[in-house]
Amino acid sequence: MADGGYFHSDGYLYVSTDWHGDYEGFRKWISLIGEHMTKKRVKIASALVLGDILDPKDPRAIAIDGDRKIINLTREINEDYNFGFGINICLGNHERDILFLDEVRKRGGDITRFLKTYRSITTLTPQEIRSLEDLPASFQVTTRGLFFSHAGLPPLEKTLNEVFYEPSEEIVTALVNGTPEDRDPELVKQKLRGINMRYSISGHTPMKKFPAEDKKYGFATVGDRRIVFTSSNGHET
């Protein structure tokens, strides 16, 4: 598993999550970033997707292999300095599961029953699947105390080094799938103190799982230290 990623404190950081192959929505987000950078005369910027770019749910995304298009557009942007920013992708549970299913398939295992949920295993090329191995399970902006992951925080009593450098399977599972403790404001604070971070920002969890009073402007909060974004493409909000 790749080590955690870092962002500098300078400039803008644009964040989205859970596109699930919605290429048209993803492309619109890229355009909005460009428009904002022009309007605000932004000189330093980065973009971060908090995982689950794979496994389209919308029939329109399925029809155009939206997952592959998102991967290819991301590569194009990262190779072309004219865009003015790069895109980083965090490992989500769908990316991790695709890697697992690919290993099962290579060993001759039958993955037929998983294909409805994990559609991308049938559309991605071997090279595209291998590229998922390089996705970090977390990112941070150390100077601002911001911790980013797909689904939540590491288990209690884990240190920053344990989380960011060669994270264990236990830690990665917590980061990409979440844990019940991540819904408890006090436990969230304890976990953040353990890794010397101030705020947790993640996606993954549908908004319907949060009480109405915790949902504002398309995202949910857990106490005053955790923000959970709804799926960027509007699914399961």
Side-chain angles (χ1 to χ4, degrees), residues 97-106 111 114 118 121:
D97 290 341
I98 290 294
L99 287 169
F100 172 75
L101 290 174
D102 186 51
E103 284 299 315
V104 172
R105 182 173 58 180
K106 287 176 180 177
I111 62 172
F114 299 104
Y118 299 101
I121 194 69

Side-chain angles (χ1 to χ4, degrees), residues 44-55:
I44 301 175
S46 298
L48 174 62
V49 180
L50 299 176
D52 278 10
I53 59 173
L54 303 180
D55 299 319

Side-chain angles (χ1 to χ4, degrees), residues 185-221:
E186 288 306 313
L187 290 177
V188 166
K189 289 182 180 180
Q190 289 182 40
K191 289 184 174 187
L192 286 168
R193 281 197 295 268
I195 59 174
N196 297 318
M197 293 285 123
R198 296 185 63 195
Y199 300 100
S200 166
I201 301 97
S202 60
H204 179 67
T205 308
M207 290 296 102
K208 62 186 178 184
K209 293 187 178 293
F210 292 93
E213 60 268 24
D214 292 339
K215 294 186 285 190
K216 297 178 182 179
Y217 313 116
F219 62 85
T221 57

Side-chain angles (χ1 to χ4, degrees), residues 2-17:
D3 289 344
Y6 295 85
F7 291 103
H8 296 294
S9 58
D10 297 333
Y12 280 81
L13 177 59
Y14 302 93
V15 181
S16 67
T17 188

Side-chain angles (χ1 to χ4, degrees), residues 13 139-142 144-148 197-201:
L13 177 59
F139 285 83
Q140 63 168 302
V141 183
T142 310
R144 297 183 182 179
L146 303 179
F147 181 84
F148 299 90
M197 293 285 123
R198 296 185 63 195
Y199 300 100
S200 166
I201 301 97

Side-chain angles (χ1 to χ4, degrees), residues 151-208:
L153 288 157
L156 283 166
E157 301 181 355
K158 297 298 181 183
T159 67
L160 188 64
N161 283 345
E162 288 177 298
V163 173
F164 277 88
Y165 302 110
E166 299 183 0
S168 66
E169 287 297 310
E170 178 193 16
I171 290 174
V172 173
T173 297
L175 296 177
V176 304
N177 291 325
T179 65
E181 291 87 356
D182 295 336
R183 306 286 288 279
D184 184 316
E186 288 306 313
L187 290 177
V188 166
K189 289 182 180 180
Q190 289 182 40
K191 289 184 174 187
L192 286 168
R193 281 197 295 268
I195 59 174
N196 297 318
M197 293 285 123
R198 296 185 63 195
Y199 300 100
S200 166
I201 301 97
S202 60
H204 179 67
T205 308
M207 290 296 102
K208 62 186 178 184

Side-chain angles (χ1 to χ4, degrees), residues 47 65 83 97 149 223:
D65 287 346
F83 280 93
D97 290 341
S149 66

